[in-house]
Amino acid sequence: MRAPHRSYGYFLPLCLLLCGLLAACAGRQTAGVAPEQGGPGGGAPAQTSLEPLPRVPVRSGQSVHVAVSGGDPNLNADLQSMLTAYIQSERGLTPAEAARDADILVRVRIEDIYPLGSKSEPVSAGKALSGAAAGAMLGMLLGRAVDANGRGGAGWGAGGGALLGLGVALLDSRGKSKVWGLRAGVGIRSDGREPAESEMRQVAVSAEGADMGREDCLPALEDKLSLEVLNALAP
């Protein structure tokens, strides 16, 4: 005996409503950084220099000495090496082993490395489609298995599976991008003299990446800080 026919006219509007809710959730995931107050920096934004570094005229062939302090020895050495390499390759300056032998002195004092928070990453279109397709396939197979006629169960299973797969893809995309900031004092002199404390300018940069911890962010922060200093050396 064939089972009585049931009306599922309400199912399509319900699916559309749920899809709209999921899309709204995805849109909220694109919100900006959620600041954290745990670091000494107080979660202050650190996208660009707090103060523009003074422009220092340089010319190819001059000598330069770079010194970095304030961080741990490995960090100081890495940043000093990176910054020296940038200046040598991009400005044509010759590295000097001692400050007394240099025309230009660059001094960097690392003051703080701190978390700025996390940023939700919106799901990509490809991930959403693949999640929906996988859910639809599994739902169709399950629907065929539980429905004797095959057609009705496969249809309902595919629709429900696609919706579930899309929801899982959206939820899986939340809160994966971590943001870190670095603040440093920078001083540059072109007369071979050490920069005075009053000549040090604060520079702040930030970097972000998926599940990025403090150690993971250091290369990107060093690179951005090096570029800030390099841009102050005007050829």
Side-chain angles (χ1 to χ4, degrees):
M1 178 181 296
R2 178 176 298 178
H5 175 72
R6 297 181 181 180
S7 174
Y8 292 97
Y10 62 86
F11 188 76
L12 180 58
L14 180 60
C15 284
L16 294 176
L17 176 61
L18 290 176
C19 285
L21 291 175
L22 288 172
C25 291
R28 294 186 62 182
Q29 291 178 28
T30 61
V33 173
E36 295 180 1
Q37 301 297 328
Q47 299 299 327
T48 57
S49 299
L50 299 178
E51 300 178 41
L53 289 175
R55 303 283 286 182
V56 179
V58 299
R59 63 181 183 275
S60 179
Q62 286 184 301
S63 57
V64 60
H65 184 265
V66 177
V68 180
S69 61
D72 61 70
N74 289 335
L75 174 59
N76 292 344
D78 288 345
L79 180 55
Q80 180 175 329
S81 177
M82 178 183 293
L83 183 50
T84 300
Y86 269 142
I87 295 174
Q88 182 178 13
S89 62
E90 299 297 326
R91 297 295 182 261
L93 304 187
T94 303
E97 293 186 2
R100 63 177 179 272
D101 301 326
D103 300 314
I104 299 169
L105 299 183
V106 177
R107 299 294 179 256
V108 178
R109 183 178 62 231
I110 297 174
E111 297 179 352
D112 197 10
I113 299 174
Y114 47 93
L116 280 169
S118 61
K119 181 187 296 183
S120 296
E121 294 181 338
V123 65
S124 66
K127 186 173 183 180
L129 290 175
S130 63
M137 180 62 68
L138 292 176
M140 182 174 62
L141 294 176
L142 180 61
R144 284 180 176 175
V146 299
D147 186 16
N149 295 327
R151 294 181 180 177
W156 296 121
L163 193 60
L164 179 61
L166 177 61
V168 170
L170 292 175
L171 293 176
D172 187 51
S173 69
R174 298 182 60 184
K176 290 187 175 181
S177 183
K178 306 298 182 182
V179 187
W180 288 82
L182 183 151
R183 187 172 63 243
V186 177
I188 305 174
R189 291 286 299 251
S190 59
D191 56 3
R193 299 172 59 185
E194 290 288 340
E197 185 63 31
S198 61
E199 296 173 308
M200 301 292 284
R201 298 290 185 268
Q202 279 199 344
V203 178
V205 295
S206 66
E208 67 178 88
D211 296 322
M212 187 169 63
R214 183 183 185 278
E215 297 302 317
D216 301 323
C217 80
L218 290 180
L221 292 173
E222 293 171 18
D223 181 72
K224 289 191 173 184
L225 181 59
S226 296
L227 291 176
E228 290 280 346
V229 177
L230 180 67
N231 290 335
L233 301 176

